[in-house]
Amino acid sequence: ATNYGSDLPISFTISENDRCLLFTSTTKQLYDFSILDLASGVTKVVKLDTQKAIDLEYAVMSPHDDKIVLPLYRLVDFGYVIDSISLVDPVLDEQRILISDLKEGDELYPIRWIDEKHVLLSSTVPDNWHGKPEAVYWSLDISTGEREIVENP
């Protein structure tokens, strides 16, 4: 994950099909990122309309690499918490906030795409940390922003 205390807050992720690399720049600006198509070598810069910090480790690209769901962060005291979940369509150059009502302690993390219209979200950081609270999972509809609890992710 991004180390927000460092001078170079860099984060990245690779799409599930290994075709695209999403990465932040090496500037102190925390909210724009680039998409490198590893097959063609073409890079596209995405300038977020909402200027909030990002950590691309928790970004997920759709199976066809045409949409990205990522958390947006806000600074609270001396750390960052997830404030909202955004949808970015780099093909159509469209962006939309899907969830904006997140409070500290109620953060949601995108895990993976379920299908073309739904993303799996988790209430805890997706890692192998032992002793963390039991995760609650939701299906997020990218068309409506509606969430529905998922029993067996």
Side-chain angles (χ1 to χ4, degrees), residues 45-95:
V45 175
V46 176
K47 296 192 174 292
L48 292 178
D49 297 336
T50 304
Q51 296 183 355
K52 294 187 178 183
I54 59 174
D55 182 348
L56 293 176
E57 181 177 357
Y58 302 117
V60 291
M61 274 192 108
S62 64
H64 298 292
D65 298 331
D66 60 344
K67 292 178 181 53
I68 303 163
V69 171
L70 69 154
L72 304 177
Y73 292 77
R74 67 182 158 85
L75 184 61
V76 176
D77 296 323
F78 298 103
Y80 284 84
V81 296
I82 295 176
D83 175 76
S84 50
I85 303 289
S86 180
L87 173 70
V88 175
D89 185 328
V91 177
L92 299 176
D93 285 325
E94 296 177 348
Q95 300 175 30

Short mmCIF file of all heavy atoms in Angstrom, two decimals, residues 45-95:
data_model
loop_
_atom_site.label_atom_id
_atom_site.label_comp_id
_atom_site.label_asym_id
_atom_site.label_seq_id
_atom_site.Cartn_x
_atom_site.Cartn_y
_atom_site.Cartn_z
N VAL A 45 -3.32 9.17 -19.04
CA VAL A 45 -3.37 9.85 -17.75
C VAL A 45 -4.83 10.09 -17.39
O VAL A 45 -5.60 10.58 -18.21
CB VAL A 45 -2.59 11.17 -17.77
CG1 VAL A 45 -2.75 11.93 -16.46
CG2 VAL A 45 -1.12 10.91 -18.08
N VAL A 46 -5.19 9.75 -16.15
CA VAL A 46 -6.54 9.98 -15.65
C VAL A 46 -6.45 11.07 -14.60
O VAL A 46 -5.75 10.93 -13.60
CB VAL A 46 -7.14 8.69 -15.02
CG1 VAL A 46 -8.50 8.98 -14.42
CG2 VAL A 46 -7.22 7.59 -16.07
N LYS A 47 -7.13 12.17 -14.86
CA LYS A 47 -7.19 13.28 -13.90
C LYS A 47 -8.54 13.21 -13.21
O LYS A 47 -9.57 13.40 -13.84
CB LYS A 47 -7.01 14.62 -14.62
CG LYS A 47 -5.64 14.74 -15.26
CD LYS A 47 -5.37 16.15 -15.70
CE LYS A 47 -3.96 16.31 -16.20
NZ LYS A 47 -2.95 16.17 -15.20
N LEU A 48 -8.52 12.90 -11.92
CA LEU A 48 -9.76 12.74 -11.17
C LEU A 48 -10.46 14.08 -10.98
O LEU A 48 -9.83 15.08 -10.64
CB LEU A 48 -9.49 12.09 -9.82
CG LEU A 48 -9.03 10.63 -9.87
CD1 LEU A 48 -8.77 10.12 -8.47
CD2 LEU A 48 -10.06 9.76 -10.56
N ASP A 49 -11.77 14.07 -11.21
CA ASP A 49 -12.59 15.27 -10.98
C ASP A 49 -12.62 15.61 -9.49
O ASP A 49 -12.59 16.77 -9.11
CB ASP A 49 -14.02 15.05 -11.47
CG ASP A 49 -14.07 14.83 -12.97
OD1 ASP A 49 -13.15 15.27 -13.69
OD2 ASP A 49 -15.05 14.21 -13.43
N THR A 50 -12.69 14.58 -8.66
CA THR A 50 -12.69 14.75 -7.21
C THR A 50 -11.26 14.65 -6.73
O THR A 50 -10.64 13.61 -6.84
CB THR A 50 -13.55 13.65 -6.53
OG1 THR A 50 -14.85 13.69 -7.09
CG2 THR A 50 -13.61 13.84 -5.04
N GLN A 51 -10.73 15.73 -6.19
CA GLN A 51 -9.33 15.75 -5.81
C GLN A 51 -9.15 15.23 -4.38
O GLN A 51 -8.98 15.99 -3.44
CB GLN A 51 -8.77 17.16 -5.98
CG GLN A 51 -8.78 17.59 -7.42
CD GLN A 51 -8.17 18.94 -7.64
OE1 GLN A 51 -7.81 19.64 -6.71
NE2 GLN A 51 -8.04 19.33 -8.89
N LYS A 52 -9.18 13.90 -4.28
CA LYS A 52 -8.95 13.21 -3.01
C LYS A 52 -7.82 12.21 -3.23
O LYS A 52 -7.62 11.71 -4.33
CB LYS A 52 -10.22 12.51 -2.55
CG LYS A 52 -11.33 13.47 -2.21
CD LYS A 52 -12.51 12.77 -1.60
CE LYS A 52 -13.57 13.78 -1.22
NZ LYS A 52 -14.70 13.15 -0.56
N ALA A 53 -7.13 11.91 -2.15
CA ALA A 53 -6.00 10.97 -2.23
C ALA A 53 -6.48 9.59 -2.66
O ALA A 53 -7.61 9.19 -2.38
CB ALA A 53 -5.31 10.89 -0.88
N ILE A 54 -5.61 8.87 -3.37
CA ILE A 54 -5.92 7.52 -3.82
C ILE A 54 -4.80 6.57 -3.42
O ILE A 54 -3.67 6.99 -3.18
CB ILE A 54 -6.13 7.45 -5.35
CG1 ILE A 54 -4.89 7.94 -6.11
CG2 ILE A 54 -7.37 8.25 -5.75
CD1 ILE A 54 -4.97 7.78 -7.61
N ASP A 55 -5.13 5.29 -3.35
CA ASP A 55 -4.15 4.23 -3.17
C ASP A 55 -4.57 3.14 -4.15
O ASP A 55 -5.58 2.47 -3.94
CB ASP A 55 -4.16 3.71 -1.74
CG ASP A 55 -3.10 2.64 -1.50
OD1 ASP A 55 -2.53 2.12 -2.48
OD2 ASP A 55 -2.86 2.30 -0.33
N LEU A 56 -3.84 3.01 -5.24
CA LEU A 56 -4.24 2.10 -6.31
C LEU A 56 -4.12 0.63 -5.95
O LEU A 56 -4.58 -0.22 -6.69
CB LEU A 56 -3.47 2.42 -7.58
CG LEU A 56 -3.80 3.78 -8.20
CD1 LEU A 56 -2.91 4.03 -9.41
CD2 LEU A 56 -5.26 3.89 -8.56
N GLU A 57 -3.51 0.31 -4.80
CA GLU A 57 -3.48 -1.08 -4.38
C GLU A 57 -4.89 -1.63 -4.23
O GLU A 57 -5.13 -2.81 -4.44
CB GLU A 57 -2.73 -1.24 -3.06
CG GLU A 57 -2.67 -2.69 -2.61
CD GLU A 57 -1.86 -2.91 -1.36
OE1 GLU A 57 -1.28 -1.96 -0.82
OE2 GLU A 57 -1.82 -4.07 -0.91
N TYR A 58 -5.84 -0.77 -3.91
CA TYR A 58 -7.23 -1.19 -3.71
C TYR A 58 -8.12 -0.87 -4.90
O TYR A 58 -9.34 -1.00 -4.81
CB TYR A 58 -7.78 -0.57 -2.43
CG TYR A 58 -6.95 -0.94 -1.23
CD1 TYR A 58 -6.28 0.04 -0.51
CD2 TYR A 58 -6.79 -2.26 -0.84
CE1 TYR A 58 -5.49 -0.29 0.58
CE2 TYR A 58 -6.01 -2.61 0.24
CZ TYR A 58 -5.36 -1.61 0.95
OH TYR A 58 -4.58 -1.95 2.02
N ALA A 59 -7.55 -0.48 -6.03
CA ALA A 59 -8.32 -0.25 -7.25
C ALA A 59 -8.51 -1.58 -7.96
O ALA A 59 -7.63 -2.44 -7.95
CB ALA A 59 -7.60 0.73 -8.16
N VAL A 60 -9.68 -1.76 -8.58
CA VAL A 60 -9.93 -2.98 -9.37
C VAL A 60 -10.43 -2.59 -10.75
O VAL A 60 -11.30 -1.75 -10.89
CB VAL A 60 -10.93 -3.93 -8.66
CG1 VAL A 60 -10.32 -4.55 -7.42
CG2 VAL A 60 -12.24 -3.24 -8.32
N MET A 61 -9.82 -3.20 -11.77
CA MET A 61 -10.23 -2.96 -13.16
C MET A 61 -11.20 -4.04 -13.58
O MET A 61 -11.08 -5.20 -13.19
CB MET A 61 -9.02 -3.00 -14.08
CG MET A 61 -8.31 -1.69 -14.21
SD MET A 61 -7.13 -1.71 -15.57
CE MET A 61 -7.99 -0.66 -16.73
N SER A 62 -12.16 -3.65 -14.41
CA SER A 62 -13.14 -4.60 -14.93
C SER A 62 -12.44 -5.63 -15.83
O SER A 62 -11.32 -5.39 -16.30
CB SER A 62 -14.22 -3.87 -15.71
OG SER A 62 -13.66 -3.24 -16.84
N PRO A 63 -13.09 -6.76 -16.06
CA PRO A 63 -12.47 -7.81 -16.88
C PRO A 63 -12.03 -7.36 -18.27
O PRO A 63 -11.09 -7.91 -18.83
CB PRO A 63 -13.56 -8.88 -16.97
CG PRO A 63 -14.38 -8.67 -15.74
CD PRO A 63 -14.37 -7.19 -15.50
N HIS A 64 -12.70 -6.34 -18.83
CA HIS A 64 -12.34 -5.85 -20.17
C HIS A 64 -11.49 -4.57 -20.10
O HIS A 64 -11.29 -3.90 -21.11
CB HIS A 64 -13.60 -5.61 -21.00
CG HIS A 64 -14.40 -6.85 -21.22
ND1 HIS A 64 -13.97 -7.91 -21.99
CD2 HIS A 64 -15.60 -7.23 -20.72
CE1 HIS A 64 -14.86 -8.87 -21.97
NE2 HIS A 64 -15.86 -8.49 -21.21
N ASP A 65 -11.02 -4.24 -18.89
CA ASP A 65 -10.14 -3.08 -18.68
C ASP A 65 -10.79 -1.76 -19.10
O ASP A 65 -10.09 -0.81 -19.45
CB ASP A 65 -8.80 -3.24 -19.41
CG ASP A 65 -8.01 -4.43 -18.91
OD1 ASP A 65 -8.16 -4.80 -17.73
OD2 ASP A 65 -7.24 -5.01 -19.71
N ASP A 66 -12.12 -1.69 -19.06
CA ASP A 66 -12.78 -0.46 -19.49
C ASP A 66 -13.38 0.34 -18.35
O ASP A 66 -13.87 1.45 -18.56
CB ASP A 66 -13.86 -0.77 -20.54
CG ASP A 66 -14.94 -1.70 -20.03
OD1 ASP A 66 -14.72 -2.37 -18.99
OD2 ASP A 66 -16.00 -1.77 -20.67
N LYS A 67 -13.31 -0.18 -17.12
CA LYS A 67 -13.81 0.55 -15.96
C LYS A 67 -12.91 0.25 -14.76
O LYS A 67 -12.35 -0.84 -14.65
CB LYS A 67 -15.24 0.16 -15.64
CG LYS A 67 -16.24 0.63 -16.70
CD LYS A 67 -17.64 0.18 -16.38
CE LYS A 67 -18.62 0.62 -17.44
NZ LYS A 67 -18.29 0.24 -18.78
N ILE A 68 -12.82 1.23 -13.85
CA ILE A 68 -12.01 1.08 -12.65
C ILE A 68 -12.85 1.54 -11.46
O ILE A 68 -13.48 2.60 -11.52
CB ILE A 68 -10.74 1.94 -12.73
CG1 ILE A 68 -9.92 1.57 -13.96
CG2 ILE A 68 -9.91 1.81 -11.45
CD1 ILE A 68 -8.89 2.61 -14.35
N VAL A 69 -12.87 0.74 -10.41
CA VAL A 69 -13.49 1.14 -9.15
C VAL A 69 -12.36 1.32 -8.15
O VAL A 69 -11.51 0.43 -8.01
CB VAL A 69 -14.52 0.11 -8.67
CG1 VAL A 69 -15.01 0.42 -7.27
CG2 VAL A 69 -15.70 0.06 -9.64
N LEU A 70 -12.34 2.48 -7.47
CA LEU A 70 -11.26 2.73 -6.53
C LEU A 70 -11.77 3.56 -5.36
O LEU A 70 -12.70 4.35 -5.49
CB LEU A 70 -10.09 3.44 -7.20
CG LEU A 70 -10.28 4.88 -7.65
CD1 LEU A 70 -8.93 5.57 -7.66
CD2 LEU A 70 -10.87 4.91 -9.03
N PRO A 71 -11.14 3.36 -4.19
CA PRO A 71 -11.51 4.18 -3.03
C PRO A 71 -10.81 5.53 -3.08
O PRO A 71 -9.70 5.65 -3.59
CB PRO A 71 -11.00 3.34 -1.84
CG PRO A 71 -9.88 2.53 -2.40
CD PRO A 71 -10.19 2.30 -3.85
N LEU A 72 -11.49 6.53 -2.55
CA LEU A 72 -10.92 7.87 -2.41
C LEU A 72 -10.77 8.14 -0.92
O LEU A 72 -11.63 7.76 -0.12
CB LEU A 72 -11.84 8.92 -3.04
CG LEU A 72 -12.19 8.71 -4.51
CD1 LEU A 72 -13.16 9.78 -4.98
CD2 LEU A 72 -10.95 8.69 -5.37
N TYR A 73 -9.68 8.78 -0.54
CA TYR A 73 -9.33 8.95 0.87
C TYR A 73 -9.44 10.40 1.32
O TYR A 73 -9.28 11.32 0.51
CB TYR A 73 -7.89 8.49 1.12
CG TYR A 73 -7.70 7.00 0.97
CD1 TYR A 73 -7.63 6.41 -0.29
CD2 TYR A 73 -7.59 6.19 2.08
CE1 TYR A 73 -7.45 5.04 -0.42
CE2 TYR A 73 -7.41 4.82 1.95
CZ TYR A 73 -7.35 4.26 0.70
OH TYR A 73 -7.18 2.92 0.57
N ARG A 74 -9.66 10.59 2.60
CA ARG A 74 -9.57 11.92 3.20
C ARG A 74 -8.67 11.82 4.42
O ARG A 74 -8.57 10.76 5.06
CB ARG A 74 -10.94 12.48 3.56
CG ARG A 74 -11.66 11.76 4.65
CD ARG A 74 -13.04 12.41 4.88
NE ARG A 74 -13.93 11.48 5.53
CZ ARG A 74 -13.98 11.28 6.83
NH1 ARG A 74 -13.22 11.97 7.64
NH2 ARG A 74 -14.81 10.38 7.34
N LEU A 75 -8.02 12.92 4.73
CA LEU A 75 -7.10 12.98 5.87
C LEU A 75 -7.91 13.19 7.15
O LEU A 75 -8.73 14.09 7.23
CB LEU A 75 -6.10 14.12 5.67
CG LEU A 75 -5.01 14.26 6.73
CD1 LEU A 75 -4.14 13.02 6.78
CD2 LEU A 75 -4.16 15.49 6.42
N VAL A 76 -7.67 12.31 8.13
CA VAL A 76 -8.31 12.42 9.45
C VAL A 76 -7.19 12.39 10.47
O VAL A 76 -6.45 11.42 10.54
CB VAL A 76 -9.28 11.26 9.71
CG1 VAL A 76 -9.85 11.32 11.11
CG2 VAL A 76 -10.40 11.26 8.68
N ASP A 77 -7.06 13.45 11.24
CA ASP A 77 -5.96 13.58 12.20
C ASP A 77 -4.64 13.35 11.48
O ASP A 77 -4.24 14.15 10.68
CB ASP A 77 -6.16 12.62 13.38
CG ASP A 77 -7.41 12.97 14.19
OD1 ASP A 77 -7.71 14.17 14.33
OD2 ASP A 77 -8.10 12.04 14.65
N PHE A 78 -3.98 12.21 11.74
CA PHE A 78 -2.68 11.96 11.13
C PHE A 78 -2.68 10.77 10.18
O PHE A 78 -1.66 10.18 9.90
CB PHE A 78 -1.63 11.74 12.22
CG PHE A 78 -1.45 12.96 13.08
CD1 PHE A 78 -2.00 13.00 14.35
CD2 PHE A 78 -0.77 14.06 12.63
CE1 PHE A 78 -1.86 14.12 15.15
CE2 PHE A 78 -0.62 15.19 13.40
CZ PHE A 78 -1.17 15.22 14.68
N GLY A 79 -3.85 10.40 9.69
CA GLY A 79 -3.93 9.27 8.78
C GLY A 79 -5.05 9.45 7.77
O GLY A 79 -5.86 10.36 7.87
N TYR A 80 -5.08 8.58 6.79
CA TYR A 80 -6.09 8.62 5.75
C TYR A 80 -7.13 7.53 5.98
O TYR A 80 -6.79 6.42 6.39
CB TYR A 80 -5.45 8.43 4.38
CG TYR A 80 -4.73 9.65 3.89
CD1 TYR A 80 -3.41 9.90 4.28
CD2 TYR A 80 -5.35 10.55 3.05
CE1 TYR A 80 -2.75 11.03 3.83
CE2 TYR A 80 -4.68 11.67 2.60
CZ TYR A 80 -3.39 11.91 2.99
OH TYR A 80 -2.73 13.02 2.56
N VAL A 81 -8.39 7.84 5.70
CA VAL A 81 -9.47 6.86 5.76
C VAL A 81 -10.25 6.94 4.44
O VAL A 81 -10.27 7.99 3.78
CB VAL A 81 -10.43 7.08 6.95
CG1 VAL A 81 -9.71 6.89 8.27
CG2 VAL A 81 -11.10 8.43 6.89
N ILE A 82 -10.87 5.84 4.08
CA ILE A 82 -11.66 5.83 2.85
C ILE A 82 -12.91 6.66 3.07
O ILE A 82 -13.68 6.43 3.99
CB ILE A 82 -12.00 4.38 2.43
CG1 ILE A 82 -10.71 3.64 2.06
CG2 ILE A 82 -12.97 4.39 1.25
CD1 ILE A 82 -10.91 2.19 1.73
N ASP A 83 -13.08 7.61 2.18
CA ASP A 83 -14.18 8.56 2.25
C ASP A 83 -15.31 8.19 1.29
O ASP A 83 -16.48 8.40 1.56
CB ASP A 83 -13.61 9.94 1.89
CG ASP A 83 -14.63 11.01 1.80
OD1 ASP A 83 -15.09 11.48 2.85
OD2 ASP A 83 -14.96 11.40 0.67
N SER A 84 -14.94 7.65 0.12
CA SER A 84 -15.92 7.35 -0.91
C SER A 84 -15.35 6.34 -1.89
O SER A 84 -14.16 6.04 -1.86
CB SER A 84 -16.34 8.63 -1.64
OG SER A 84 -15.22 9.37 -2.05
N ILE A 85 -16.23 5.82 -2.74
CA ILE A 85 -15.84 4.86 -3.78
C ILE A 85 -16.21 5.48 -5.13
O ILE A 85 -17.32 5.96 -5.31
CB ILE A 85 -16.57 3.50 -3.62
CG1 ILE A 85 -16.34 2.90 -2.25
CG2 ILE A 85 -16.17 2.54 -4.74
CD1 ILE A 85 -14.96 2.37 -1.99
N SER A 86 -15.25 5.48 -6.05
CA SER A 86 -15.44 6.13 -7.34
C SER A 86 -15.39 5.12 -8.48
O SER A 86 -14.69 4.11 -8.39
CB SER A 86 -14.33 7.17 -7.53
OG SER A 86 -14.47 7.83 -8.76
N LEU A 87 -16.11 5.43 -9.55
CA LEU A 87 -16.06 4.66 -10.79
C LEU A 87 -15.41 5.54 -11.85
O LEU A 87 -15.82 6.69 -12.04
CB LEU A 87 -17.47 4.26 -11.24
CG LEU A 87 -17.58 3.60 -12.62
CD1 LEU A 87 -16.96 2.20 -12.59
CD2 LEU A 87 -19.04 3.54 -13.06
N VAL A 88 -14.41 5.01 -12.53
CA VAL A 88 -13.73 5.73 -13.60
C VAL A 88 -13.86 4.89 -14.87
O VAL A 88 -13.57 3.70 -14.86
CB VAL A 88 -12.24 5.97 -13.27
CG1 VAL A 88 -11.51 6.60 -14.44
CG2 VAL A 88 -12.09 6.80 -12.01
N ASP A 89 -14.30 5.54 -15.93
CA ASP A 89 -14.36 4.90 -17.24
C ASP A 89 -13.35 5.61 -18.12
O ASP A 89 -13.63 6.68 -18.68
CB ASP A 89 -15.77 5.02 -17.83
CG ASP A 89 -15.90 4.26 -19.15
OD1 ASP A 89 -14.91 4.17 -19.90
OD2 ASP A 89 -17.01 3.78 -19.43
N PRO A 90 -12.12 5.08 -18.25
CA PRO A 90 -11.09 5.77 -19.02
C PRO A 90 -11.36 5.76 -20.52
O PRO A 90 -10.82 6.60 -21.25
CB PRO A 90 -9.81 5.00 -18.68
CG PRO A 90 -10.27 3.67 -18.21
CD PRO A 90 -11.64 3.85 -17.63
N VAL A 91 -12.19 4.85 -21.00
CA VAL A 91 -12.51 4.79 -22.42
C VAL A 91 -13.41 5.95 -22.81
O VAL A 91 -13.18 6.65 -23.80
CB VAL A 91 -13.18 3.44 -22.77
CG1 VAL A 91 -13.59 3.40 -24.23
CG2 VAL A 91 -12.24 2.28 -22.45
N LEU A 92 -14.46 6.20 -22.01
CA LEU A 92 -15.40 7.28 -22.28
C LEU A 92 -15.03 8.59 -21.58
O LEU A 92 -15.74 9.57 -21.71
CB LEU A 92 -16.82 6.86 -21.87
CG LEU A 92 -17.40 5.64 -22.58
CD1 LEU A 92 -18.76 5.28 -22.00
CD2 LEU A 92 -17.48 5.88 -24.08
N ASP A 93 -13.96 8.58 -20.80
CA ASP A 93 -13.54 9.74 -20.00
C ASP A 93 -14.66 10.20 -19.07
O ASP A 93 -14.96 11.40 -18.98
CB ASP A 93 -13.06 10.89 -20.88
CG ASP A 93 -11.69 10.64 -21.46
OD1 ASP A 93 -10.87 10.01 -20.77
OD2 ASP A 93 -11.44 11.06 -22.61
N GLU A 94 -15.29 9.24 -18.38
CA GLU A 94 -16.35 9.56 -17.43
C GLU A 94 -15.95 9.12 -16.03
O GLU A 94 -15.22 8.13 -15.87
CB GLU A 94 -17.66 8.87 -17.82
CG GLU A 94 -18.22 9.34 -19.14
CD GLU A 94 -19.48 8.61 -19.55
OE1 GLU A 94 -19.83 7.58 -18.94
OE2 GLU A 94 -20.12 9.07 -20.51
N GLN A 95 -16.45 9.85 -15.03
CA GLN A 95 -16.18 9.53 -13.63
C GLN A 95 -17.45 9.77 -12.83
O GLN A 95 -18.24 10.66 -13.17
CB GLN A 95 -15.08 10.42 -13.07
CG GLN A 95 -13.78 10.30 -13.79
CD GLN A 95 -12.76 11.28 -13.28
OE1 GLN A 95 -12.77 11.67 -12.13
NE2 GLN A 95 -11.85 11.70 -14.14
#
